[in-house]
Amino acid sequence: MSLADFTSSLDSLLVAAEKSLGLVADEAGLEELRVLYTGAKNGQLKSIQKGMGSLSSDERPAAGKKFNEVRDSVQAAIDNAAARISGGSLVGASPKSSGTKKSVPPIDPTLPGVRPRLGRLHPITQTIEDLKEIMGRLGFSATEGPEIEDTWHNFVALNIPEDHPARDPLDNFYLATAGKNASDPTALDAKLLRSQTSTVQIRAMESQKPPLRIISLGRVYRPDEADATHFPMFHQMEGLWIDTSVSMAQLKSVLRMFATSYLGGDVTIRFRPSFFPFTEPSVEVDYFWNDQWIEFGGAGMVDPNVLKAVGYDPEEMSGFAFGLGVERLCMRRYGITDIRDLFRSDVRFLRQF
Ligand code: DAH
């Protein structure tokens, strides 16, 4: 026997089997057909299989594969016929049955359906999308920076001197990298998990010429004890606008417009004089909620030292920057009172958003 004959006899067997099994109407008829096609002694499949012995050894793998496919299809046709005869439905019968007789449970169309659960975006992800959208309307385009940073971008270029408490190893996640500076957090290339998204201001200015109007949203890390308002990882939105004559008045209007767009027209915000090494003058920005002022970010006019660090001319360019806490905005908007709820991955909480 040739491989072609072998294959075509299997094909005709399958056609005949599917046809007769599709028509058979009772258990006895089905059993007859089962024996006819798959009977262990004289079944048609068995006798075709015997023909494999006369094939050459390099034809046998293909022949074996074909045989298995047809055998499985015949079995599936038997299973379907059995389900049909016993009043079940064809739905759910697997076409590649394992060969054991399988009864398919009948479907009761009067039972109520099960509504599939839809996934959804995490509230912080939704907030990030909303913030990008609002700032996009104000002309800010979104950019990103790495979460593992070096001392230069996280501190030095931002005018944060070596003895500044913000650089204390106890207040940062320095990485014990294998490099030569592993133990020296003052080295410019010492690595840490960024403690603020202000790093992206530096990266953006290093790689682009002014004017510049960007935001950057992402995670930051600080070794804080977790409580209702603190978490060792949280998100910030950084903003930076550099041009020939950017003013503090513009900074205040941008932040006001942003706050009313995101939190609603009735939100009250205030600016308090403050200090940041990378801005001069600097302010802290608060909103009013539940009878108290809540700080949601810092801002100010970019310090000339920062402009110099990235090679911009402070005589020519000025700008403002701000850094806002994403969780605090999200919590205020949705009335969430414990930041830890955002990161517990409890679907009962997350499903509400
Ligand atoms: N980086 C500051 C922080 O994490 C927030 C901040 C303050 C960012 C003032 C700024 C800024 O861009 O101008 O606390």
Side-chain angles (χ1 to χ4, degrees):
M1 188 194 265
S2 72
L3 180 59
D5 291 343
F6 180 79
T7 308
S8 79
S9 48
L10 280 172
D11 285 339
S12 2
L13 181 149
L14 182 58
V15 170
E18 282 181 336
K19 190 166 174 207
S20 52
L21 284 160
L23 294 172
V24 67
D26 55 30
E27 300 266 351
L30 173 62
E31 179 56 17
E32 231 167 74
L33 291 174
R34 193 188 65 73
V35 173
L36 173 68
Y37 296 122
T38 64
K41 270 195 190 151
N42 298 316
Q44 293 188 2
L45 278 168
K46 193 82 208 166
S47 62
I48 296 180
Q49 190 181 26
K50 283 183 190 141
M52 256 172 90
S54 61
L55 297 175
S56 71
S57 60
D58 41 328
E59 283 171 335
R60 252 177 243 158
K65 187 161 170 269
K66 175 76 186 173
F67 179 83
N68 290 339
E69 281 167 12
V70 170
R71 186 199 52 207
D72 290 348
S73 302
V74 171
Q75 186 58 51
I78 293 173
D79 291 345
N80 277 344
R84 181 167 47 76
I85 289 167
S86 67
S89 148
L90 298 192
V91 180
S94 98
K96 284 230 158 193
S97 157
S98 60
T100 52
K101 268 207 220 157
K102 198 160 52 175
S103 71
V104 179
I107 286 180
D108 179 352
T110 62
L111 286 176
V114 181
R115 194 184 286 275
R117 282 235 166 88
L118 288 185
R120 58 196 74 203
L121 295 176
H122 190 278
I124 289 296
T125 312
Q126 291 184 32
T127 306
I128 288 176
E129 295 303 315
D130 291 342
L131 302 189
K132 277 189 191 160
E133 210 263 323
I134 293 171
M135 294 310 294
R137 279 191 261 140
L138 295 172
F140 288 78
S141 52
T143 176
E144 284 186 9
E147 288 179 24
I148 293 181
E149 263 298 0
D150 51 43
T151 320
W152 167 257
H153 291 94
N154 203 90
F155 301 123
V156 181
L158 286 164
N159 199 31
I160 305 177
E162 209 178 305
D163 54 2
H164 193 283
R167 289 177 67 166
D168 192 322
L170 291 176
D171 289 330
N172 290 285
F173 288 109
Y174 283 95
L175 301 189
T177 39
K180 55 184 184 309
N181 296 314
S183 55
D184 179 10
T186 61
L188 289 184
D189 60 348
K191 297 280 194 287
L192 73 162
L193 295 180
R194 69 178 175 193
S195 61
Q196 49 186 352
T197 44
S198 305
T199 53
V200 190
Q201 291 182 31
I202 303 301
R203 289 192 176 269
M205 290 189 284
E206 279 175 339
S207 63
Q208 294 167 56
K209 287 205 171 71
L212 209 64
R213 209 190 312 183
I214 53 133
I215 49 161
S216 187
L217 284 131
R219 298 190 181 107
V220 299
Y221 302 84
R222 294 178 195 174
D224 286 337
E225 198 73 48
D227 61 24
T229 52
H230 296 88
F231 205 73
M233 181 282 299
F234 57 100
H235 296 72
Q236 287 186 326
M237 172 167 76
E238 195 76 16
L240 177 71
W241 185 350
I242 304 279
D243 209 327
T244 44
S245 59
V246 178
S247 69
M248 187 83 182
Q250 281 167 317
L251 166 63
K252 292 177 75 177
S253 357
V254 165
L255 287 178
R256 260 187 215 291
M257 278 192 276
F258 163 75
T260 46
S261 299
Y262 185 67
L263 296 175
D266 55 347
V267 69
T268 315
I269 69 166
R270 73 172 181 192
F271 299 89
R272 266 180 303 125
S274 184
F275 173 80
F276 296 102
F278 31 93
T279 42
E280 180 58 38
S282 308
V283 290
E284 264 165 311
V285 201
D286 306 331
Y287 58 65
F288 197 69
W289 191 30
N290 285 346
D291 294 334
Q292 53 179 331
W293 289 102
I294 306 212
E295 181 200 330
F296 70 103
M301 302 306 294
V302 178
D303 193 290
N305 285 343
V306 174
L307 296 173
K308 274 189 229 154
V310 296
Y312 283 12
D313 181 355
E315 300 296 324
E316 249 178 60
M317 292 293 156
S318 62
F320 69 67
F322 58 85
L324 313 179
V326 173
E327 279 75 5
R328 295 226 168 144
L329 288 164
C330 167
M331 288 165 74
R332 159 76 211 255
R333 168 124 167 210
Y334 295 110
I336 299 167
T337 48
D338 191 329
I339 191 175
R340 290 168 294 191
D341 284 335
L342 288 167
F343 304 116
R344 283 199 177 101
S345 299
D346 183 335
V347 286
R348 290 168 305 176
F349 172 81
L350 296 173
R351 222 179 259 147
Q352 304 174 91
F353 299 93

